[in-house]
């Protein structure tokens, strides 16, 4: 017997902030959740699974129109024609309090009640599925405590949308512990809500399949569901079923050996090429590039995030056309010389470092500097303010942070210029 366990599909998730990303593959991103779900249904039919479990957050809150519901009904109709039942539980995003629109679902879709935990039985397979949907989005009670006892001699599956304990990145809905789930003596817990794949126990199995499709850089890496194989002896295997259609990746580029901006761009291009070669599929990649390392180029890179991103975008376009998109570029390099090494120089650059270290303690100077720079940023065009995070810090009055950020880059530039003059 085989079944698919999925959760956190978030059909037609709005992908907030997408418009602010230049050259973003907007259409591919907007349609990704639907295409991933279609791939999941294809896999269910191709593998002739016995049933599918959806453990919450099928939707992303109320629909803007009925198209989202029509799409889901069509996909459920495909499973219905293939004789595959679906057991659907609503989570915080599609709780009864969140949804004002409903459509009649095909007969193969079986819902879990929101008033109390209920059991759906598949007599032919001797499978009992226990679960309770959310009635309110902010459900903070321990729902697992009210789940029924296991059916003796059957394969028992608990379906629950929960943050469990210890997942600080996710709202603490329906909290419970792994020990409490184990105490129910079920064979498998099909969980939802946490978007990362995780197997928390194998006796019994307690599994988060992760979400079906990454929607932003915090959901990087492969995404999908799980395929579970079982027999009369219990759960035999739990395997990931990857169905995402667009993948988010974080790429750290070590630029310690780069002496200038062109060398940094070249290293970024090489790293992107290696990332492409490492892929086992042809899905589009949305990549956040972070430049790291102690480098002589640190001073030359300060404030050039926007220009560098354009350079790296050009590298990506040359490598694979539309397949690579640079979501963001971050500069987290450090100077080739640290503060102690500069102090040891005992020259004008060391004196400047000492002077800059005292600046944040000079209240009058900091107030004057803040006023002058805030007047400057008030006249700057919006695109420049968006391109330079330092401008936002100036507007917020965080001058100590600005001085701390500028100092290493300024000293690195001066040291590099001094070396250049000495060379000539």
């Amino acid at each position: 017997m085989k079944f698919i366990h999925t959760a956190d599909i978030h059909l037609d998730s709005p992908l907030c902030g997408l418009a602010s990303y230049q050259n973003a593959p907007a259409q591919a991103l907007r349609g990704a959740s639907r295409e991933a779900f279609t791939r999941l249904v294809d896999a269910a039919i191709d593998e002739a699974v016995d049933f599918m479990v959806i453990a919450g957050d099928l939707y992303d809150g109320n629909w803007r129109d009925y198209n989202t519901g029509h799409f889901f009904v069509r996909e459920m109709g495909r499973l219905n024609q293939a004789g595959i039942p679906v057991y659907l539980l609503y989570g915080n995003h599609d709780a009864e309090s969140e949804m004002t629109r409903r459509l009649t679902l095909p007969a193969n879709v079986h819902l879990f009640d929101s008033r109390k935990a209920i059991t759906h039985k598949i007599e032919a397979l001797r499978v009992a599925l226990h679960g309770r949907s959310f009635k309110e989005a902010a459900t903070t009670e321990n729902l697992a405590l009210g789940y029924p006892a296991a059916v003796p001699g059957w394969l028992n599956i608990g379906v629950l949308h929960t943050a469990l304990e210890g997942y600080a990145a996710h709202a603490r809905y329906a909290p419970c512990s792994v020990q409490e789930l184990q105490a129910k003596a079920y064979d498998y817990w099909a969980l939802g809500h946490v978007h990362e794949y995780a197997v928390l126990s194998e006796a019994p199995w307690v599994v988060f399949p992760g979400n079906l499709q990454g929607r932003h850089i915090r959901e990087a890496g492969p995404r999908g569901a799980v395929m579970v194989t079982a027999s009369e002896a219990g759960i035999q295997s739990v395997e990931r079923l990857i169905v995402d259609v667009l993948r988010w990746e974080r790429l750290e580029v070590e630029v310690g050996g780069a002496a200038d901006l062109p060398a940094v761009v070249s290293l970024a291009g090489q790293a992107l090429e290696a990332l492409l070669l490492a892929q086992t599929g042809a899905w589009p990649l949305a990549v956040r590039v972070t430049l790291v390392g102690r480098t002589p180029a640190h001073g030359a890179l300060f404030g050039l995030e926007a220009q560098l991103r354009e350079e790296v975008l050009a590298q990506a376009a040359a490598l694979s056309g539309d397949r690579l998109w640079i979501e963001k570029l971050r500069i987290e390099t450090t100077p080739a010389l640290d503060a102690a090494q500069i102090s040891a120089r005992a020259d004008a650059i060391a004196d400047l470092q000492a002077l800059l270290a005292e600046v944040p303690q000079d209240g009058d100077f900091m107030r004057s500097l803040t006023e002058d720079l805030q007047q400057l940023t008030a006249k700057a065009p919006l695109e420049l303010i968006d391109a330079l995070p330092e401008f936002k810090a100036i507007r917020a009055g965080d001058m100590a942070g600005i001085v701390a950020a500028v100092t290493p880059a300024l000293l690195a530039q001066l040291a590099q210029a001094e070396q250049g003059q000495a060379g000539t």
Side-chain angles (χ1 to χ4, degrees), residues 11-12 31-39 67-68 71 74:
L11 281 177
D12 293 344
S33 64
R34 287 196 183 195
E35 190 174 345
F37 190 64
T38 295
R39 286 190 178 187
N67 286 328
T68 302
F71 169 78
R74 281 197 303 271

Side-chain angles (χ1 to χ4, degrees), residues 216-230:
H216 43 69
I217 193 60
R218 295 188 303 279
E219 296 176 351
R223 300 280 153 170
V226 292
M227 179 78 75
V228 184
T229 304

Side-chain angles (χ1 to χ4, degrees), residues 122-405:
I122 309 176
E123 297 282 349
L125 298 174
R126 295 175 64 81
V127 171
L129 298 104
H130 316 281
R132 179 180 171 183
S133 291
F134 279 31
K135 187 173 183 63
E136 300 292 333
T139 297
T140 56
E141 64 178 295
N142 187 338
L143 298 182
L145 294 178
Y147 276 44
V151 179
W154 287 40
L155 186 82
N156 287 267
I157 300 172
V159 186
L160 178 63
H161 199 77
T162 177
L164 281 183
E165 295 176 345
Y167 282 90
H170 297 270
R172 201 166 180 266
Y173 295 143
C176 61
S177 67
V178 172
Q179 290 73 25
E180 287 172 324
L181 300 184
Q182 291 171 333
K184 285 291 180 182
Y186 294 172
D187 299 278
Y188 185 92
W189 278 95
L191 304 185
H193 186 55
V194 174
H195 288 192
E196 298 299 322
Y197 168 72
V199 176
L200 304 176
S201 168
E202 295 185 11
W205 288 86
V206 179
V207 180
F208 283 112
N211 60 341
L212 213 57
Q213 169 61 56
R215 300 170 299 159
H216 43 69
I217 193 60
R218 295 188 303 279
E219 296 176 351
R223 300 280 153 170
V226 292
M227 179 78 75
V228 184
T229 304
S231 70
E232 292 180 355
I235 303 298
Q236 300 301 307
S237 66
V238 176
E239 299 175 352
R240 292 197 77 184
L241 182 61
I242 304 302
V243 297
D244 56 350
V245 297
L246 179 143
R247 192 160 295 174
W248 300 79
E249 295 285 356
R250 297 177 183 271
L251 180 64
E252 279 200 356
V253 182
E254 170 60 55
V255 296
D260 52 25
L261 189 144
V264 169
V265 172
S266 177
L267 287 172
Q270 294 171 29
L272 286 170
E273 185 174 15
L275 177 66
L276 278 174
L277 291 173
Q279 302 304 307
T280 57
W283 43 76
L285 297 176
V287 185
R288 175 171 293 184
V289 177
T290 303
L291 306 179
V292 299
R294 300 177 68 87
T295 171
H298 176 77
L301 299 180
F302 179 74
L304 294 182
E305 284 93 343
Q307 179 183 338
L308 261 171
R309 182 174 182 272
E310 295 300 330
E311 294 278 8
V312 175
L313 273 171
Q315 294 282 317
L319 284 169
S320 65
D322 295 334
R323 190 183 163 199
L324 267 179
W325 172 57
I326 307 304
E327 176 261 359
K328 189 173 287 186
L329 183 137
R330 286 185 169 173
I331 300 174
E332 296 183 3
T333 56
T334 53
L337 297 178
D338 61 24
Q341 290 171 313
I342 290 176
S343 296
R345 292 167 56 112
D347 58 8
I349 293 177
D351 293 341
L352 178 59
Q353 177 177 265
L355 177 63
L356 289 171
E358 296 174 0
V359 164
Q361 282 72 51
D362 189 332
D364 291 337
F365 177 79
M366 291 296 283
R367 280 190 292 273
S368 175
L369 180 63
T370 300
E371 291 172 3
D372 291 344
L373 290 180
Q374 285 180 339
Q375 290 178 12
L376 174 66
T377 58
K379 300 175 183 177
L382 184 61
E383 58 269 21
L384 184 59
I385 294 172
D386 289 338
L388 295 176
E390 292 79 15
F391 272 33
K392 295 177 183 176
I394 291 169
R395 285 189 162 188
D398 180 19
M399 293 312 304
I402 289 291
V403 171

Side-chain angles (χ1 to χ4, degrees), residues 110-127:
H110 308 278
L111 298 176
F112 288 98
D113 196 278
S114 64
R115 293 166 296 180
K116 65 177 183 178
I118 65 170
T119 300
H120 290 294
K121 291 184 177 180
I122 309 176
E123 297 282 349
L125 298 174
R126 295 175 64 81
V127 171

